[in-house]
Amino acid sequence: MAMPMRRTLVALHRATCSSLKNAEASLDVRHPAPLFLPVRTKKRHFIPPAVGLKMKAGEDSEAKARAAGIVFRQQYIERSINIACTAGVFDPYIPPEGDARLSSLSKEGLKQRTEQIRQSAASQLAIRKIKEYDSLFTTKDFAEQAQEIFIEAHNALAQFNKEKLHSLVTERCYPEMTRGNRYKTIRWRFVESLEPPRVVHARCPDMVSKNNLYGQVTVRMHSRQTLAIYDRFGRLMLGSEEQPKDVLEYLIIERHLVNPYGRWRLHGKTVPSWAPAKDPIIKTVLIPGPKLKPGQEFEALNYHVPKPEAVQWNK
């Protein structure tokens, strides 16, 4: 009895639906929106923890995220290094005291020259090693090339040409040259060379492995330059554009020898211990003025800047 009754109900339902469809077609009735909306029934396997909620002991958040399809970035403990240049200066050159002041014909000058000749044995071995990788290397031509690299690098620094500066200085020297120059204006000019540049020191160190060689050549350069640094307000902080100064510098030029596309770049400078101290930088300081009332101008007041009191101090 159940089966015939069920068939009767199904037939009645079909007849009712067909009559409704025929009525809607005859009246041209259309629903503006579907009667049934799709409902998301998929479960979320990974639910992010609430803010401030502590994870239970023993729970592995990475395993839950991996099950949900979220990939965590691998954490590398090793620190990345750059092998395009060395991290420092190996066996730095120690300039003799009184260089560029003592005559080579005097007694002390002759002592310095003989001491340099004695210590040039290691430099000759390093130069011979450099020539194995750079057949065109000569000490006379290289000194002039180093001076050109120095001039182009400082011109690129004054013009804030980062791309050209990266090609002229190493990754160690770049932050040392650009640190603190963001809001400053640099005016630098190479006037003339007082003495021809010459190679005074050469070393050929290795890093990581014995076959990974670098060439470090120290060039002595005695020249006349002008330097002026302005702050972001246009006030002079250091130097002068009209008054040139005699500068004695020991430049360190480096190249990655085993790299066939490597090139000589400025790596740093050697500052002797007997060098005179640098000129102090003049900083812009804000002098606090009187508090003005609404509608009052500062020019209307006869305000005098108070002078600081003399204070006794000791080092």
Side-chain angles (χ1 to χ4, degrees), residues 188-209:
W188 181 86
R189 183 168 57 92
F190 184 85
V191 181
E192 61 178 347
S193 181
L194 301 178
E195 296 182 34
R198 69 172 189 269
V199 175
V200 294
H201 191 73
R203 288 294 181 268
C204 192
D206 57 76
M207 189 173 67
V208 180
S209 63

Side-chain angles (χ1 to χ4, degrees), residues 11 20 24 31 47 86 110 161 219 250 273 309:
L20 288 173
E24 287 180 0
H31 295 285
I47 300 175
T86 57
L110 288 173
N161 192 347
V219 179
Y250 300 91
S273 58
E309 297 179 359

Side-chain angles (χ1 to χ4, degrees), residues 162-314:
K162 296 181 180 180
E163 290 77 10
K164 188 175 181 181
L165 189 60
H166 270 293
S167 64
L168 295 170
V169 300
T170 60
E171 287 75 12
R172 172 187 174 270
C173 183
Y174 181 83
E176 294 181 359
M177 292 183 65
T178 58
R179 186 181 295 115
N181 297 337
R182 186 175 181 182
Y183 300 109
K184 296 181 179 64
T185 303
I186 302 174
R187 295 285 184 265
W188 181 86
R189 183 168 57 92
F190 184 85
V191 181
E192 61 178 347
S193 181
L194 301 178
E195 296 182 34
R198 69 172 189 269
V199 175
V200 294
H201 191 73
R203 288 294 181 268
C204 192
D206 57 76
M207 189 173 67
V208 180
S209 63
K210 293 293 183 182
N211 297 326
N212 191 28
L213 297 176
Y214 298 84
Q216 290 185 355
V217 182
T218 304
V219 179
R220 178 186 180 275
M221 193 177 73
H222 192 199
S223 60
R224 184 169 293 170
Q225 309 169 14
T226 59
L227 174 66
I229 301 177
Y230 300 90
D231 61 4
R232 57 179 178 173
F233 304 107
R235 298 182 178 91
L236 182 65
M237 296 180 64
L238 179 69
S240 173
E241 294 189 50
E242 291 79 16
Q243 184 179 0
K245 285 190 175 182
D246 299 344
V247 183
L248 177 63
E249 294 175 309
Y250 300 91
L251 312 176
I252 301 171
I253 313 296
E254 186 184 83
R255 178 184 174 180
H256 194 193
L257 297 178
V258 296
N259 184 8
Y261 303 103
R263 55 187 304 177
W264 293 101
R265 297 184 295 174
L266 183 63
H267 188 62
K269 294 181 182 180
T270 299
V271 181
S273 58
W274 45 265
K278 295 183 180 180
D279 297 336
I281 296 177
I282 304 172
K283 295 184 179 180
T284 302
V285 182
L286 176 64
I287 300 176
K291 295 182 179 180
L292 301 178
K293 298 179 181 179
Q296 188 179 12
E297 295 184 0
F298 180 76
E299 297 178 355
L301 299 176
N302 295 326
Y303 182 76
H304 298 282
V305 179
K307 294 183 180 181
E309 297 179 359
V311 180
Q312 183 67 35
W313 63 277
N314 298 314

Side-chain angles (χ1 to χ4, degrees), residues 52-72:
L53 183 64
K54 295 182 179 180
M55 299 294 293
K56 294 181 181 179
E59 283 186 345
D60 191 0
S61 59
E62 293 188 9
K64 287 187 175 182
R66 200 179 297 110
I70 301 174
V71 180
F72 273 89

